[in-house]
């Protein structure tokens, strides 16, 4: 497996090829994700293309909280960091009824005497380690490594601490009718397309990812979610499923690249529960593999389509950041504006 971008340090054991850093700022300037807690002293900084320490999560600060009327306590930008003392911080406590009712995929409340989670470890089948290193546990509750969110409890998230997802970024080149790659008229760079779904829960376009089931390998989640959401595999007959599985296997066993591993700036995040993901790029260079896999929305996806990639895309959580990293990897078009020059 090839690894690039901020994922390099975490993925070190699976690296077979490390790409040379680009000349301009971008991937090479992004901080490596390390296993040290100190990484989190400047949380969420992996989103800043020049590694400036000014960026904190923003979608995780928005109100109302998804699927509710709950308003988060306001957290000014300079108070997001836990290291900034804030004695008067009064976050709102909220865990959705759907979580409190105890579905099998969710943790109990921390006050539940029968619940003794092993935070920062793999806890039986449940992965409670963070891609970003050790997180703090305070009064039995994990603390969001990217900072304050104005809301305690779990909101809509099932797990205390990290809630792990996986995002398959399936790409191909945009081609004209004669099969030639299409270049962007301004940058002259070829245009990439990726498979996007429209999420049913919030109506935003996104990568067809999903949650890693307990004990499931991430590689299996990536393939399963793509099949369910972008190919409607759950509604297929056993014969169709078998054929789909064969084609999917072809795509997912090709060389692929870990684009990103870590914290996601998701609107469902709270002070005690947050989303993390591993985003992996499967690139269909000739486009032939995907020609045999007709897109059909299923499961959590309302729609599915190939989308031209550019900076203009507005996507769920920080999915456009993952997509940007993919364009950097392939030297594809992203922005009409040149990237920032970063200070040494
Ligand atoms: C989605 C993933 C996303 C993750 C974090 C999950 O619900 O399926 O695509 O990356 O949340 O936002």
């Amino acid at each position: 497996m090839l690894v690039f971008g901020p994922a390099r340090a975490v993925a070190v054991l699976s690296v077979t090829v490390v790409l040379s850093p680009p000349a301009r700022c971008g991937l090479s300037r992004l901080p490596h994700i390390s296993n040290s807690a100190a990484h989190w002293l400047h949380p969420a900084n992996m989103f800043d293309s020049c590694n400036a320490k000014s960026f904190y999560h923003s979608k995780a600060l928005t109100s109302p909280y998804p699927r509710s009327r709950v308003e988060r306590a306001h957290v000014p930008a300079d108070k997001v960091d836990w290291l900034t003392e804030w004695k008067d911080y009064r976050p709102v406590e909220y865990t959705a009824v759907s979580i409190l009712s105890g579905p099998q995929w969710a943790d109990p409340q921390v006050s539940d005497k029968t619940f003794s989670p092993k935070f920062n470890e793999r806890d039986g089948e449940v992965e409670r380690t963070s891609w970003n290193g050790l997180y703090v546990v305070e009064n039995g509750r994990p603390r969001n490594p990217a900072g304050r969110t104005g809301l305690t409890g779990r909101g809509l998230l099932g797990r205390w601490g990290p809630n792990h997802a996986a995002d398959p970024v399936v790409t191909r080149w945009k081609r004209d009718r004669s099969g030639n790659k299409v270049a962007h008229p301004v940058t002259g760079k070829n245009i990439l397309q990726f498979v996007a779904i429209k999420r049913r829960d919030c109506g935003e376009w996104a990568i067809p990812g999903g949650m890693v089931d307990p004990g499931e390998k991430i590689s299996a989640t990536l393939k399963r979610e793509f099949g369910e959401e972008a190919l409607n595999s759950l509604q297929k007959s056993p014969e169709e499923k078998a054929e789909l599985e064969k084609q999917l296997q072809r795509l997912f066993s090709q060389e692929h690249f870990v684009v990103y591993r870590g914290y996601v700036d998701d609107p469902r995040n709270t002070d005690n529960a947050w989303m993390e993901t591993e985003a992996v790029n499967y690139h269909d260079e000739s486009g032939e593999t995907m020609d045999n896999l007709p897109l059909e929305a299923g499961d959590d996806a309302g729609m599915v389509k190939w989308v031209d990639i550019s900076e203009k895309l507005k996507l769920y959580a920080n999915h456009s950041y993952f997509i940007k990293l993919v364009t950097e990897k392939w030297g594809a078009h992203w922005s009409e504006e040149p990237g920032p020059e970063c200070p040494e």
Side-chain angles (χ1 to χ4, degrees):
M1 187 186 290
L2 307 186
V3 177
F4 68 103
R8 266 180 290 199
V10 187
V12 88
L13 293 176
S14 60
V15 172
T16 50
V17 176
V18 175
L19 302 159
S20 51
R24 295 184 76 84
C25 83
L27 296 183
S28 63
R29 307 290 175 142
L30 293 163
H32 286 179
I33 296 171
S34 76
N35 271 339
S36 86
H39 172 73
W40 289 111
L41 298 182
H42 298 291
N45 51 7
M46 63 202 81
F47 310 125
D48 185 315
S49 59
C50 283
N51 191 11
K53 288 163 182 158
S54 55
F55 181 87
Y56 292 93
H57 51 199
S58 60
K59 295 196 180 180
L61 295 170
T62 50
S63 289
Y65 186 87
R67 284 192 256 163
S68 82
R69 290 195 184 154
V70 176
E71 296 284 319
R72 296 172 186 266
H74 175 64
V75 182
D78 63 349
K79 296 234 169 55
V80 172
D81 197 329
W82 293 110
L83 292 181
T84 307
E85 201 179 317
W86 186 10
K87 290 212 178 78
D88 293 331
Y89 179 48
R90 301 274 179 277
V92 174
E93 172 77 15
Y94 175 64
T95 300
V97 175
S98 56
I99 301 298
L100 292 174
S101 68
Q104 157 262 324
W105 47 268
D107 290 335
Q109 289 291 78
V110 281
S111 54
D112 188 323
K113 296 265 178 325
T114 63
F115 182 50
S116 47
K118 295 193 182 81
F119 290 123
N120 284 304
E121 282 177 49
R122 185 169 174 111
D123 185 5
E125 297 276 85
V126 181
E127 189 54 82
R128 298 196 195 273
T129 58
S130 163
W131 282 121
N132 296 88
L134 295 176
Y135 50 86
V136 173
V137 180
E138 231 175 23
N139 302 324
R141 292 176 170 208
R143 197 175 77 173
N144 186 323
R148 299 182 175 100
T149 68
L151 194 139
T152 50
R154 281 173 292 162
L156 285 167
L157 298 177
R159 303 281 173 208
W160 294 98
N163 287 252
H164 287 280
D167 284 294
V169 185
V170 174
T171 53
R172 70 177 185 192
W173 294 109
K174 180 174 186 166
R175 292 178 191 270
D176 61 19
R177 283 207 187 132
S178 329
N180 299 316
K181 292 180 185 169
V182 175
H184 188 273
V186 174
T187 61
K189 291 182 175 174
N190 291 330
I191 298 174
L192 267 182
Q193 299 182 314
F194 86 107
V195 175
I197 55 131
K198 193 166 188 193
R199 288 175 67 110
R200 273 192 209 280
D201 59 351
C202 59
E204 287 186 83
W205 286 90
I207 300 165
M211 307 304 294
V212 181
D213 289 339
E216 188 177 42
K217 279 201 174 140
I218 295 180
S219 54
T221 314
L222 289 158
K223 197 163 74 155
R224 176 176 59 70
E225 287 290 339
F226 189 76
E228 290 175 6
E229 298 193 343
L231 307 171
N232 199 16
S233 61
L234 292 175
Q235 301 302 320
K236 302 284 176 202
S237 68
E239 298 76 36
E240 287 171 326
K241 253 191 205 146
E243 181 53 32
L244 208 65
E245 180 56 35
K246 230 168 49 198
Q247 300 292 342
L248 264 180
Q249 190 52 34
R250 209 169 124 198
L251 178 71
F252 280 73
S253 56
Q254 279 174 197
E255 199 174 48
H256 43 272
F257 304 89
V258 175
V259 177
Y260 178 84
R261 279 171 177 157
Y263 183 81
V264 183
D265 182 18
D266 188 288
R268 294 167 295 182
N269 292 351
T270 74
D271 283 4
N272 310 120
W274 60 92
M275 290 300 311
E276 297 197 6
T277 200
E278 171 168 315
V280 179
N281 176 216
Y282 301 88
H283 178 64
D284 186 12
E285 179 61 27
S286 69
E288 282 165 19
T289 308
M290 284 308 293
D291 278 349
N292 294 325
L293 282 169
L295 300 181
E296 186 182 325
D299 200 32
D300 300 336
M303 281 166 77
V304 61
K305 64 178 183 184
W306 285 102
V307 170
D308 291 0
I309 296 180
S310 84
E311 136 188 91
K312 299 201 174 104
L313 286 179
K314 297 280 167 278
L315 300 176
Y316 184 73
N318 49 346
H319 284 189
S320 53
Y321 174 69
F322 309 154
I323 300 290
K324 176 176 188 248
L325 294 177
V326 173
T327 63
E328 289 176 0
K329 154 76 185 104
W330 294 106
H333 169 72
W334 173 251
S335 171
E336 292 178 24
E337 305 293 326
E341 289 292 348
C342 301
E344 285 306 313

